[in-house]
Amino acid sequence: MFFVNFRTLLLKTVKNVTVLKSRTYCLGGTNKKWKIMFFGTDGFALKSLEELHKAMQEGRMVSELSVVVPAPKPHPCLVAKYAMKHNLPISVWPLPKEQPPKDCWELGVVASFGHLIPKRIINSFPQGMLNIHASILPRWRGAAPIVHAIMNGDDETGVTIMRIKPYHFDVGDIVQQQSVPIDPNISAVQLTDRLADMGANLLVRCISDLHYHLNRCTPQPSEGVTLAPKIDATLSHIDWSSMNAAQIYNRWRATRHLFKLQTFFHGNNVKLNDVEPPTTKPPPMFTDLVDRPGRIIVDRQRNLLFVRCQDWVAIRHVTLHRRPVMSALDFFNGYLQKKAIDQHYFDVH
């Protein structure tokens, strides 16, 4: 049996973190109960780690379990906190190249890790490495598949268990997939929780009969590839002239956990706290109103702001200058009514 050995990069003691001083991956040999090394960070990954840990405690599928996490910046991630609480061995990424052999890990599992795994590590696991990805690959390869699926108005998404290949993210063979419809009003946080549970259950199903599933995996289709890069704050800016109500609403529910959508009112920054679904229509008298983008009208009866975009989008609450959240009527009383009617516009950039 051939052993490939790596040391953890973290040499100093991290408070309340158990750090393995050595880590080895062995090539060769299989068992019905696998020695699994788990690579993960956030709540999506945590669901899968919990299921693997539960299986180990119940004497199923998993004989040993350790985790690999990024260095605390500045605090440990959720996966690290769970491992500390349950006394699971922890290694800190990146894993060094050489050290004497000590342990044998047969299968690597990756979920929401965010680092490209080198070929030398992938090949060190006799059974390879599995990744739990929150989309139906090849659609939405990348770091933010859930956000992009909602933002683009997809009707369906799901989870893919895939084999990890070196050099590129999310291109490996498909081991298992499961799809789910996307509720038109679900947020990214809610969908993440649902897909995390689904992914954990699908992972357990794969590992419970690992060789069967690995022997039947298939390459990803070459058609239908879309990319889901990391989200940045530039998406918070609304372009009233190029977006319609559905696009604004989808962007709001996809990114509201990351930042608030924003616009400007005569140079003053305005955060859009609550955006209504595109099924919320303006009063009939405004339906055929032809006006330039950014035009603001107030529906007093429903306490809503309607803003002209490519159609009309409804806003329930806004914030200005770090002040308390305002309703549509509060915004009208405090700001709109102080301007002439021909100045009732959000800025268009």
Side-chain angles (χ1 to χ4, degrees), residues 38-55:
F38 184 88
F39 298 67
T41 56
D42 59 14
F44 179 83
L46 182 59
K47 293 286 187 178
S48 292
L49 177 61
E50 289 173 341
E51 287 300 314
L52 293 177
H53 187 218
K54 178 182 177 182

Side-chain angles (χ1 to χ4, degrees), residues 64-140:
E64 294 183 37
L65 181 63
S66 72
V67 303
V68 178
V69 296
K73 294 182 179 181
H75 305 295
C77 63
L78 290 177
V79 166
K81 290 178 179 179
Y82 182 90
M84 287 185 277
K85 180 179 178 180
H86 296 279
N87 296 315
L88 296 175
I90 300 175
S91 294
V92 177
W93 185 265
L95 301 176
K97 295 181 179 180
E98 297 177 355
Q99 74 175 59
K102 182 179 178 181
D103 299 317
C104 173
W105 300 96
E106 299 163 311
L107 175 67
V109 174
V110 179
S112 193
F113 189 57
H115 296 276
L116 200 61
I117 309 295
K119 182 178 181 180
R120 61 182 173 82
I121 294 182
I122 299 171
N123 292 342
S124 297
F125 295 97
Q127 307 305 319
M129 300 186 75
L130 299 179
N131 180 39
I132 307 112
H133 186 77
S135 79
I136 300 297
L137 291 170
R139 187 163 178 79
W140 302 130

Side-chain angles (χ1 to χ4, degrees), residues 148-324:
H148 283 276
I150 292 177
M151 196 161 56
N152 283 271
D154 287 7
D155 297 322
E156 182 182 70
T157 188
V159 173
T160 300
I161 307 295
M162 53 162 279
R163 302 196 76 162
I164 289 185
K165 287 186 176 181
Y167 312 123
H168 299 284
F169 285 107
D170 307 325
V171 298
D173 292 350
I174 296 170
V175 180
Q176 280 278 288
Q177 289 184 319
Q178 184 175 348
S179 61
V180 62
I182 301 178
D183 185 281
N185 297 310
I186 198 170
S187 70
V189 171
Q190 293 168 325
L191 185 56
T192 297
D193 289 342
R194 183 172 184 183
L195 294 181
D197 288 332
M198 181 184 295
N201 292 332
L202 199 60
L203 175 68
V204 168
R205 188 187 310 168
C206 289
I207 296 178
S208 65
D209 199 352
L210 186 61
H211 284 152
Y212 174 86
H213 292 290
L214 292 183
N215 289 335
R216 287 161 177 79
C217 61
T218 58
Q220 292 187 33
S222 57
E223 301 82 18
V225 176
T226 57
L227 302 181
K230 289 182 179 179
I231 301 300
D232 63 58
T234 59
L235 286 173
S236 67
H237 297 278
I238 296 302
D239 184 349
W240 302 110
S241 62
S242 67
M243 300 179 70
N244 61 33
Q247 291 170 327
I248 294 169
Y249 178 67
N250 288 342
R251 184 176 295 188
W252 172 75
R253 64 193 180 99
T255 62
R256 56 187 291 196
H257 64 297
L258 301 172
F259 45 70
K260 287 181 171 58
L261 300 185
Q262 58 182 318
T263 186
F264 289 87
F265 181 69
H266 296 276
N268 297 310
N269 183 263
V270 179
K271 299 291 197 303
L272 311 180
N273 293 72
D274 294 296
V275 180
E276 294 292 297
T279 52
T280 306
K281 301 300 182 182
M285 68 183 74
F286 295 104
T287 301
D288 298 322
L289 178 64
V290 178
D291 210 332
R292 66 180 172 87
R295 170 78 156 123
I296 309 167
I297 60 174
V298 179
D299 184 335
R300 294 174 177 272
Q301 184 175 358
R302 289 181 287 176
N303 199 5
L304 291 172
L305 296 177
F306 281 91
V307 185
R308 181 70 181 179
C309 46
Q310 288 189 350
D311 41 18
W312 290 93
V313 64
I315 312 295
R316 186 165 294 278
H317 296 100
V318 298
T319 304
L320 278 79
H321 302 301
R322 300 180 181 177
R323 295 181 180 180

